[in-house]
Amino acid sequence: MSNLRVLVVGASIAGPTAAYWLAKAGAKVTIIERFSQIRPNGQNIDIRTSGVSVMRKMPGMEEAVRANTLPVEGISLVRENGTPYGTIAPTGDANQQSLISEYEILRGDLARILFDLTKTHKNIKYVFGEQVSSIQQDERSNGPATVEFMNGYPATEYDLVVACDGATSRTRAMGLGCGIRDYIHSLNSWVVFFSIKKDLLNGGQIGEAYSAPGGRFICMGSDSSGITRVAMMGINPRNAHEAAKPFREANKLGADALKEYMAQYFRGAGWKCDEVIKGMLDADDFYGSEMVQVKPPALLNGRFVLVGDAGYASGPTGTGTSLALTGAYILAGEICKNGRDVPEALKGYEEQMQPFINEMQKIPPFIPGILAPQTAWGLWLRNAFFAFICWSRIPALFQKFFGASSAHSDDYKVPDYEWTE
C-alpha cells in the first residue's frame, strides 16, 4: 500500500488530519488549497467526544491545542441593559464538557497546528493557490481517477480523491455528479464572525451573549491582544420557507453587501448592538456562512470520498470539528486495514462513520431557537428559564438537552488500527 497516491482537497481541519493518518498508512498525499496560505482567521471552534480521542492519538496535538485555547471562563447571558441573568461555565472535565469547551480554539489556530504537524512529512506535499477543475473516473476498470486543475498544476492520476473543502464543496459536486447545493439542508439561520479593534468587555474573560426579538443573537469575547471577537446570528424556525435566502443573496455580492445586510438586521436591537455594528463595518476579517447540514445519499463514488463538512456538516450541534477529525482518522484507518483495496476501504469507512454522523447531526430540541426567540414573550420566558437553571446550580441536568455536544467522550469510541508507519 506504500505507493497509494491520494489527493486531499482542502487544508483547513479535515484535510491535514486526513493527510496525517493517510501518511501513517503509507500513502503519498498531495493536499491542494485554493487560498495562497493557511487561513489565519476564523471563529471559535471546539473539540469534543470522539474528536478528543483522535486528537490524543496524534503526538503533540493536545499540548499544542491547550497552548492556544482561548481564555474563556464562561459566557454570561445579559439583558438589554447589560445586567447578567446567568453564566455558563466549563465543567473542568475534558471528557464531559459543557456548552463551553475545555478545547475552545480559533479555527485558524487549529488549522495552523495541523499544518505544522504535517508540513515536513516526507509523504505529504502541500500545493497552495490551486483548485480541482475536473475528476474523471473509468467505472468499468475501477482504476485511478484522473484529476485536472485550474491554475497550472499538471493533471495527475490518483488512487483516491478526498474532498475536505467544506459544506459548499465544489469538489463534492464534481465527484458525485450533483449540483453544489444538492444535499445541503438549510436551517434558515446564519452567522457572521469578525473582530473589533477595541475591547468592549474591558479585558474580562467571561464572554457576553445577548438576544433580541426577531431571532437576533450576538456573542462576544475579549482577546488577549485587546480586541473583541464577535459572532452575530440570525435564527429562524427550521420550517421557515427560504428565510435564509436574503442572507445568501447578500453573501454572493461580497463582504460589503453582507455587512450592510447584517447592519440593517441588527440596528436598534439594543444592548451594545449599534456599537458592534460600527466595529463590524470596519472589520477586515469579516466573513459569514449559512447554517446547514449536509446529507448526501453516499459518502463515496468510485475512487472519490467525502470527509468533514463536505460530507456531513453538522449545523448547530457543536460537533462539526469532532466529526471532521473522526472521519479523517477512520478513513485512513480503513485504508490501512484493507491495503490497496480502496473500494473495500471506502465501504468500511462509510459503515464506521454512519453511527457517528447519525448521532452528531441530531439537533437537540429548541436548538438553535433557544438562543434567539422570535418574540418578546418568548425571550422573557427563555431568560427566566436560564436564570432559574443557573440559580439552581443544576447545569449538568440542563446540558442533557444539548445532545452530542455535551456527551461524554467514552460514548463515542473510535476504532483502533495498526498503522504501517
Side-chain angles (χ1 to χ4, degrees), residues 351-372:
E351 290 175 352
Q352 289 279 359
M353 276 304 297
Q354 204 58 57
F356 289 96
I357 296 168
N358 293 343
E359 285 299 314
M360 293 193 194
Q361 282 192 335
K362 284 181 180 177
I363 301 176
F366 315 117
I367 296 295
I370 198 171
L371 295 177

Side-chain angles (χ1 to χ4, degrees), residues 31 43 46 71 86 101 126 176 227 229 327 330 336 360 372 384 408:
I31 305 179
Q43 77 272 30
D46 46 49
S101 171
Y126 279 87
L176 297 186
I227 65 174
R229 298 192 181 275
I330 289 178
C336 194
M360 293 193 194
H408 196 282

Side-chain angles (χ1 to χ4, degrees), residues 236-264:
N236 293 282
R238 275 184 258 160
N239 60 358
H241 179 66
E242 288 287 15
K245 186 175 181 180
F247 175 90
R248 286 201 300 270
E249 295 300 321
N251 201 17
K252 288 178 183 177
L253 298 175
D256 289 342
L258 187 57
K259 284 181 179 181
E260 185 55 37
Y261 174 81
M262 294 302 295
Q264 292 179 12

Side-chain angles (χ1 to χ4, degrees), residues 144-361:
T146 301
V147 181
E148 295 180 330
F149 300 91
M150 289 186 182
N151 300 321
Y153 195 75
T156 309
E157 286 189 343
Y158 295 97
D159 298 296
L160 178 62
V161 178
V162 186
C164 301
D165 50 340
T168 55
S169 167
R170 293 179 178 274
T171 317
R172 178 181 64 230
M174 286 182 269
L176 297 186
C178 62
I180 291 175
R181 286 197 63 87
D182 287 357
Y183 316 129
I184 291 179
H185 296 253
S186 175
L187 299 173
N188 290 312
S189 302
W190 56 90
V191 59
V192 299
F193 304 96
F194 55 93
S195 58
I196 298 174
K197 296 179 177 65
K198 180 180 179 181
D199 187 353
L200 299 182
L201 300 178
N202 300 315
Q205 293 187 350
I206 302 285
E208 294 185 0
Y210 169 73
S211 296
R216 293 172 289 182
F217 177 80
I218 182 169
C219 182
M220 63 174 70
S222 290
D223 189 284
S224 58
S225 62
I227 65 174
T228 304
R229 298 192 181 275
V230 182
M232 299 171 75
M233 300 168 65
I235 298 171
N236 293 282
R238 275 184 258 160
N239 60 358
H241 179 66
E242 288 287 15
K245 186 175 181 180
F247 175 90
R248 286 201 300 270
E249 295 300 321
N251 201 17
K252 288 178 183 177
L253 298 175
D256 289 342
L258 187 57
K259 284 181 179 181
E260 185 55 37
Y261 174 81
M262 294 302 295
Q264 292 179 12
Y265 196 82
F266 273 85
R267 192 168 283 126
W271 189 49
K272 299 178 181 179
C273 289
D274 288 348
E275 186 176 7
V276 169
I277 288 170
K278 291 179 182 178
M280 176 189 70
L281 294 174
D282 293 330
D284 55 12
D285 59 352
F286 174 94
Y287 76 100
S289 61
E290 183 182 359
M291 289 188 199
V292 301
Q293 289 191 323
V294 174
K295 298 183 178 183
L299 297 179
L300 55 98
N301 178 28
R303 297 296 182 111
F304 175 82
V305 68
L306 302 168
V307 173
D309 283 356
Y312 30 83
S314 63
T317 66
T319 58
T321 302
S322 296
L323 266 177
L325 294 173
T326 303
Y329 168 81
I330 289 178
L331 170 66
E334 292 297 314
I335 291 287
C336 194
K337 175 181 173 181
N338 288 278
R340 291 194 63 86
D341 192 342
V342 174
E344 190 64 25
L346 297 186
K347 180 181 176 182
Y349 161 70
E350 188 167 52
E351 290 175 352
Q352 289 279 359
M353 276 304 297
Q354 204 58 57
F356 289 96
I357 296 168
N358 293 343
E359 285 299 314
M360 293 193 194
Q361 282 192 335

